[in-house]
Amino acid sequence: MTGAPLSIDEQIAAMKATWPQFAARRIDRCSQAARWVGSVRPQYSRYVLEIRYQVGGFPEVRVISPVLIRMPGNPEGELPHVYPPANDPSLCLFDPREDEWAPTMTLASATVPWALDWLACYELWLMTGRWTGGGRHAEPSAPIAKETTA
Amino acid sequence: MDDVPHQCDFVVKNTATLALQLLKRFRNIRYGAYTGRIPPSVMLSYYAGLASQPNMSLSTMLVRLANWIIRDIEQASLYGRQLHVANPVCTDDVFTDRWPQSISQQNEFASHLRVLVHALETMHKGEMPPNDMMGKLRENFGDRAVTRAADQIAAQVGAGIQQSRQLYSRRGGLVWPAATGAVSPVINPAVSVAKPHTFFGRKI
């Protein structure tokens, strides 16, 4: 995808216009980084999400509350489609090798709906034991390009 | 010959009928090991007709239906009477002629219904984790029906997500496909759809 990366102020404006329940915090214009915290309820339960982003990096999304439920012995793993560490996982919402995320995109139009997709799949996974939203897992031993702002 | 009565709106009938089916399932499970008479289907159908209202979700309709029955039982018990429900167009046709046989029998049914209402309201408020919710739904409506319904929902939502056509409201709520005819993302900015993406990462 071509074009200039969106600035952190542009990301903040898009988030405010689209998802006003996500409050921007820790805005750092020098390093072009920010953190948003907001509450959503895609289906059955309410979740507080945290989104961290630094322009040029990958958005990082965590569920702050409630604690994500694990299902030991499930074929998809105890908790599917996340990045370690296990005690503080972040959601893996896209395949970094498929160029699905670009800094010309807004978090509001991509990251938040992706996180809602993840939560919808997570709840249905808890209910049925099956992850029906597709995707793929990295091989356990293979290094993966983590979506991180660092 | 009498004219055929005007039929109620399909949506109204459909949700109320589904709520009635769930209530019958609930009754059958609660009274599965019971040897005496149980709350009659015709009485439950009567209340489903009373509770029927358009634009109501299934869970809200079921709570409304159960609460209606609870209120009538409480009222009857308060005055030391057994619940009396008759056919509204033929009052000699009494739906409760065989059940309840005592006030304690009707109070027992009301008590079962209160537990159901509490569980449904807890789910509605989002105060029950989805896996606990499944356990509670199976307990109330039966394993096979609940499992099948959840599998269907999972397949439907999962397919929508994989094809990037799952819609969300601006408050982050999933918009069901049935409603999408009226709320396309182009004409209604209050709805958001995810761009194509692939879930990745680890199993932990």
Side-chain angles (χ1 to χ4, degrees):
Chain A
M1 195 172 287
T2 57
L6 298 177
S7 69
I8 202 67
D9 282 328
E10 287 171 313
Q11 293 287 2
I12 290 167
M15 282 293 281
K16 191 174 180 183
T18 313
W19 306 102
Q21 71 270 45
F22 278 86
R25 300 171 184 184
R26 292 194 208 160
I27 302 165
D28 184 343
R29 289 189 172 82
C30 293
S31 63
Q32 287 287 289
R35 170 180 181 258
W36 291 262
V37 175
S39 171
V40 290
R41 188 181 177 191
Q43 291 181 109
Y44 308 112
S45 296
R46 182 161 290 285
Y47 301 88
V48 177
L49 292 179
E50 177 199 62
I51 302 172
R52 291 170 185 262
Y53 179 62
Q54 182 170 25
V55 175
F58 289 125
E60 198 171 327
V61 183
R62 281 187 175 75
V63 177
I64 302 293
S65 72
V67 173
L68 293 172
I69 297 167
R70 316 298 169 105
M71 290 213 292
N74 185 270
E76 296 283 355
E78 285 190 20
L79 184 63
H81 298 294
V82 289
Y83 284 123
N87 62 356
D88 184 26
S90 51
L91 313 186
C92 191
L93 304 174
F94 62 93
D95 186 343
R97 292 179 298 188
E98 297 292 331
D99 289 334
E100 290 170 336
W101 166 260
T104 52
M105 295 158 69
T106 61
L107 301 169
S109 66
T111 306
V112 176
W114 290 349
L116 295 173
D117 278 353
W118 191 96
L119 290 171
C121 289
Y122 161 74
E123 289 195 329
L124 293 166
W125 171 72
L126 287 176
M127 294 167 77
T128 65
R130 294 182 301 114
W131 184 276
T132 56
R136 64 188 185 86
H137 282 113
E139 292 300 317
S141 56
I144 51 175
K146 187 183 174 187
E147 303 159 21
T148 177
T149 54
Chain B
M1 187 182 290
D2 293 338
D3 288 338
V4 175
H6 179 69
Q7 293 211 331
C8 65
D9 182 79
F10 176 75
V11 175
V12 175
K13 194 163 68 179
N14 193 35
T15 311
T17 305
L18 286 173
L20 173 62
Q21 284 175 351
L22 286 174
L23 190 61
K24 285 183 187 172
R25 280 188 162 277
F26 172 76
R27 175 206 57 187
N28 293 346
I29 288 168
R30 280 291 166 279
Y31 289 89
Y34 198 75
T35 50
R37 294 200 176 276
I38 65 172
S41 294
V42 67
M43 180 197 79
L44 302 181
S45 302
Y46 165 81
Y47 280 107
L50 286 181
S52 176
Q53 198 174 56
N55 303 320
M56 200 171 263
S57 72
L58 180 56
S59 62
T60 310
M61 179 72 81
L62 184 53
V63 167
R64 178 177 159 87
L65 169 56
N67 276 332
W68 208 302
I69 300 171
I70 292 168
R71 272 196 306 272
D72 275 9
I73 289 176
E74 283 175 344
Q75 188 74 8
S77 296
L78 186 68
Y79 291 100
R81 292 196 299 255
Q82 287 178 211
L83 183 67
H84 178 88
V85 177
N87 185 335
V89 293
C90 176
T91 51
D92 290 342
D93 183 11
V94 178
F95 296 154
T96 48
D97 57 348
R98 296 180 185 181
W99 183 99
Q101 294 164 313
S102 65
I103 291 174
S104 67
Q105 217 174 36
Q106 68 193 25
N107 288 343
E108 184 187 17
F109 186 48
S111 173
H112 286 318
L113 291 176
R114 276 189 213 100
V115 173
L116 174 67
V117 167
H118 176 72
L120 291 173
E121 286 179 340
T122 305
M123 289 176 206
H124 197 74
K125 289 177 195 161
E127 292 171 356
M128 194 181 291
N131 47 340
D132 291 350
M133 210 171 89
M134 279 299 278
K136 193 58 78 177
L137 289 171
R138 285 184 171 124
E139 188 185 304
N140 287 323
F141 305 116
D143 188 8
R144 203 162 37 174
V146 169
T147 301
R148 196 173 55 222
D151 283 345
Q152 282 175 358
I153 292 168
Q156 190 179 353
V157 172
I161 287 170
Q162 289 196 47
Q163 292 161 25
S164 297
R165 55 179 167 76
Q166 182 57 60
L167 300 171
Y168 296 96
S169 72
R170 280 290 180 252
R171 296 172 69 183
L174 187 142
V175 177
W176 283 95
T180 55
V183 282
S184 97
V186 177
I187 59 167
N188 189 341
V191 167
S192 172
V193 63
K195 295 173 186 293
H197 67 122
T198 314
F199 292 116
F200 190 58
R202 299 271 197 219
K203 301 175 183 179
I204 63 170

